[in-house]
Amino acid sequence: WQVYWQENDLDNQLNFFSISSDGRVTCWSLIKNELQCTDIILIRMQPESDADSGVGMDLACGTCFDFHKTTDYLFLVGTEEGKIHKCSKHYSSQFLDTYDAHHMAVYAVRWNNFHPRVFASCSADWTVKIWDHNYSEPMFTFDLGSSVGDIVLVSLFCNCLRCSY
């Protein structure tokens, strides 16, 4: 679903990250004319109850992600199930936090360039939401009356959004 280029690693190798509906966030590195991959995190579905946990948990479908602008190990992952997971490159087996964000697929998550605690999300459920990553509920919710495919926090004005249908 999405590819994100990163700064070259410590060995000056080109690398990028990808997310897809197979439930994996993967780091790809070009090393001596060979493309190598490493899974950063597997996006596991959250069990609805303790009875649901355990063997046979499926992977969630990843739809989008964004890396924090100042904390390079922190990133957000949106899923087809409407969840947003706050993740770290350092903890590949667990989420730092999970937001019950939308009722349908999350199409985009974006960190704000000016406010490091704030991010935005948009969804097939017609909503755009503005979040403080320290809280589980959105600060603002906007129902736009149609599926919202992408969102950008406009860099000239930190309080301005641009959405596409």
Side-chain angles (χ1 to χ4, degrees):
W1 283 79
Q2 189 175 355
V3 173
Y4 187 91
W5 284 98
Q6 285 281 73
E7 296 287 326
N8 292 352
D9 63 14
L10 295 175
D11 296 328
N12 205 28
Q13 305 293 334
L14 296 174
N15 68 88
F16 62 92
F17 289 79
S18 67
I19 187 170
S20 65
S21 56
D22 65 0
R24 298 169 35 203
V25 176
T26 305
C27 177
W28 300 84
S29 299
L30 185 60
I31 302 172
K32 295 183 180 178
N33 296 327
E34 184 179 331
L35 193 58
Q36 297 180 356
C37 68
T38 304
D39 286 338
I40 300 302
I41 196 165
L42 297 177
I43 310 164
R44 301 208 180 274
M45 285 191 177
Q46 301 281 309
E48 296 296 321
S49 68
D50 290 337
D52 294 338
S53 62
V55 181
M57 284 195 349
D58 293 325
L59 295 179
C61 296
T63 55
C64 57
F65 64 155
D66 194 28
F67 286 87
H68 196 274
K69 305 308 180 208
T70 57
T71 310
D72 67 345
Y73 62 85
L74 191 63
F75 63 100
L76 298 167
V77 171
T79 69
E80 202 168 85
E81 295 76 27
K83 306 254 189 232
I84 296 174
H85 302 293
K86 182 168 56 172
C87 306
S88 170
K89 292 182 197 176
H90 302 306
Y91 301 106
S92 62
S93 63
Q94 63 187 8
F95 305 128
L96 300 177
D97 209 347
T98 296
Y99 308 91
D100 290 322
H102 294 276
H103 301 292
M104 297 178 76
V106 178
Y107 286 156
V109 290
R110 301 278 187 259
W111 285 104
N112 188 304
N113 290 332
F114 299 98
H115 300 286
R117 292 178 11 196
V118 175
F119 69 92
S121 64
C122 67
S123 170
D125 69 4
W126 301 5
T127 62
V128 171
K129 297 183 180 185
I130 309 298
W131 304 80
D132 179 324
H133 79 92
N134 293 318
Y135 299 97
S136 61
E137 296 295 321
M139 295 187 298
F140 302 102
T141 300
F142 304 99
D143 188 336
L144 301 182
S146 183
S147 178
V148 184
D150 200 5
I151 185 169
V152 175
L153 295 156
V154 179
S155 50
L156 292 177
F157 308 101
C158 61
N159 60 350
C160 185
L161 299 170
R162 185 173 68 197
C163 304
S164 66
Y165 298 96

